[in-house]
Amino acid sequence: MQSFSFNRCLMAAALGGVLALSACGGDDKPAPIDLVTDQNRDNVPDELAQLVKSTLKIADAGTPGVLDPEEEPAFFAAINEIGERLPFSAETVGRLERIDALTQQIAAVQTEEERADLLLQLADTDALLAQDANYQRFTDALNAMPELAPSADTAEVQNKSKAIHTGGYDQLQRGDVMLTHSGGIGYAFPWAWHFTHAGNYDGNNTVYESVGSGVRLQPIAHWQENKRYAFGRNKKVSQSAVVAQLEQAQQRYGTAGKTPYNFVFPNKQTDNKLYCSQLVWKIHQGAGTNVDSNSLKWFTLMALKLSPYYAWNPPLALAKHAVLIASVLRPAVAPDEIYYATDVINFYYDKKK
């Protein structure tokens, strides 16, 4: 992988802003990835597919399918090379930088009102990314790549379910996991790709979930407004075991906002504050199962998603990815990580746009 001088890039940033960042390295910049050629017509550009497959193989050197700590430098170097070679426009680079700044602000806010305002700004910026055809090709390819899907077995179950049922809600049983995405799949949510929110079905058309106003038992109606959602059931323990933990959680955390929302994403161990997927994780952990998958596939998606932010400076990108894995992704539990926990949860319904 070609590397640029750290000082050279900082000077370019200081002198030229976004355009300088996008051109950092001058003639030394590696050739852009071909995001058009797709000879086998699988909706994944051939060159990108090969680069991602080679990156995933790095993690098989030790424990197959697991990103071991000693594999991280080579793994993220390969990720950074992909990010460095993505042929995004200068406008897209600027928007990604804006999104990066907004997500950092979101992580620091203390009130739901501040968070909501920043999320609106972030969503508006995210919507503009689709104006770049290469950005759209890149995100579409990651969604279509079978190597980054949760599992073939789960996909088969989902497809059969979709052929039989029209909504999936008729299959819900008390204690089931519920996942949804409240916006488009893109860069807007820093730790999400497939899903942005998680909940626990509590029967009688209600969902036990953690939202901005805290942990609550709420009507299911607001879930039915979303176009992307998945329902799953723990296949390691009985329904009664999960329901028992659901009821204990309601006694401990309340059902009307007694327990506030947890804005510190990596701190999933706390009981004083809870975010949505943390609440789901705790319920199933109480039943003796772990739905925090720490999936290599999800790590790869997150790394590829964030790689364009720092592509102008590979040393900085390598450091950012190392911090991301060690201090955020491993200790936290995101809705997507539950989606990838296919050894524990059978997602019997998955509705896509």
Side-chain angles (χ1 to χ4, degrees), residues 4 124 171 187 268 281 304 316 342:
F4 304 149
D124 288 343
Q171 301 174 74
Y187 284 79
K268 71 179 181 186
W281 172 74
L304 288 169
L316 176 62
T342 53

Side-chain angles (χ1 to χ4, degrees), residues 98-123 187-191 261-265:
R98 169 67 173 158
I99 288 170
D100 185 40
L102 286 169
T103 55
Q104 292 182 45
Q105 293 179 53
I106 289 170
V109 298
Q110 298 298 317
T111 68
E112 177 62 16
E113 290 75 15
E114 291 177 289
R115 180 174 181 270
D117 178 65
L118 290 170
L119 281 173
L120 285 174
Q121 295 181 50
L122 194 148
Y187 284 79
F189 297 91
W191 320 122
Y261 190 86
N262 180 12
F263 288 97
V264 184
F265 189 58

Side-chain angles (χ1 to χ4, degrees), residues 19-42:
L19 289 176
L21 293 178
S22 65
C24 186
D27 295 337
D28 294 332
K29 190 171 184 179
I33 296 171
D34 178 1
L35 294 179
V36 176
T37 303
D38 178 17
Q39 293 185 347
N40 60 357
R41 298 184 180 180
D42 62 351

Side-chain angles (χ1 to χ4, degrees), residues 39-268:
Q39 293 185 347
N40 60 357
R41 298 184 180 180
D42 62 351
N43 297 317
V44 181
D46 298 335
E47 187 175 8
L48 179 63
Q50 186 56 51
L51 288 169
V52 172
K53 289 176 183 177
S54 297
T55 301
L56 288 170
K57 285 182 180 178
I58 294 172
D60 286 334
T63 308
V66 175
L67 183 60
D68 297 318
E70 61 272 18
E71 296 165 344
E72 288 183 10
F75 178 82
F76 287 125
I79 290 287
N80 293 341
E81 180 177 3
I82 294 174
E84 190 180 0
R85 295 178 57 200
L86 289 172
F88 292 167
S89 68
E91 290 81 7
T92 295
V93 173
R95 287 161 184 159
L96 292 173
E97 290 184 329
R98 169 67 173 158
I99 288 170
D100 185 40
L102 286 169
T103 55
Q104 292 182 45
Q105 293 179 53
I106 289 170
V109 298
Q110 298 298 317
T111 68
E112 177 62 16
E113 290 75 15
E114 291 177 289
R115 180 174 181 270
D117 178 65
L118 290 170
L119 281 173
L120 285 174
Q121 295 181 50
L122 194 148
D124 288 343
T125 307
D126 176 66
L128 296 173
L129 291 173
Q131 295 177 4
D132 186 337
N134 281 327
Y135 157 80
Q136 197 63 52
R137 292 186 184 105
F138 176 65
T139 54
D140 287 348
L142 295 184
N143 283 322
M145 202 172 293
E147 291 81 5
L148 299 181
S151 77
D153 292 342
T154 301
E156 182 179 354
V157 171
Q158 292 164 354
N159 289 334
K160 288 180 179 178
S161 180
K162 285 186 288 185
I164 297 171
H165 298 277
T166 58
Y169 287 92
D170 56 331
Q171 301 174 74
L172 281 167
Q173 294 181 10
R174 195 175 183 212
D176 281 1
V177 172
M178 302 175 65
L179 302 175
T180 190
H181 199 308
S182 56
I185 294 176
Y187 284 79
F189 297 91
W191 320 122
W193 185 269
H194 301 287
F195 298 101
T196 61
H197 183 57
N200 312 265
Y201 186 63
D202 195 37
N204 298 316
N205 292 317
T206 59
V207 184
Y208 189 51
E209 58 191 327
S210 183
V211 293
S213 57
V215 176
R216 295 181 176 276
L217 184 63
Q218 301 196 114
I220 203 172
H222 69 286
W223 283 75
Q224 296 172 327
E225 298 172 358
N226 294 324
K227 296 180 179 179
R228 175 79 164 106
Y229 56 88
F231 303 147
R233 189 166 300 143
N234 196 311
K235 60 185 180 182
K236 294 290 188 180
V237 297
S238 66
Q239 181 191 9
S240 61
V242 176
V243 170
Q245 293 302 315
L246 174 61
E247 292 175 346
Q248 287 188 31
Q250 291 174 352
Q251 293 176 3
R252 183 181 304 120
Y253 307 124
T255 59
K258 181 181 81 171
T259 302
Y261 190 86
N262 180 12
F263 288 97
V264 184
F265 189 58
N267 187 12
K268 71 179 181 186

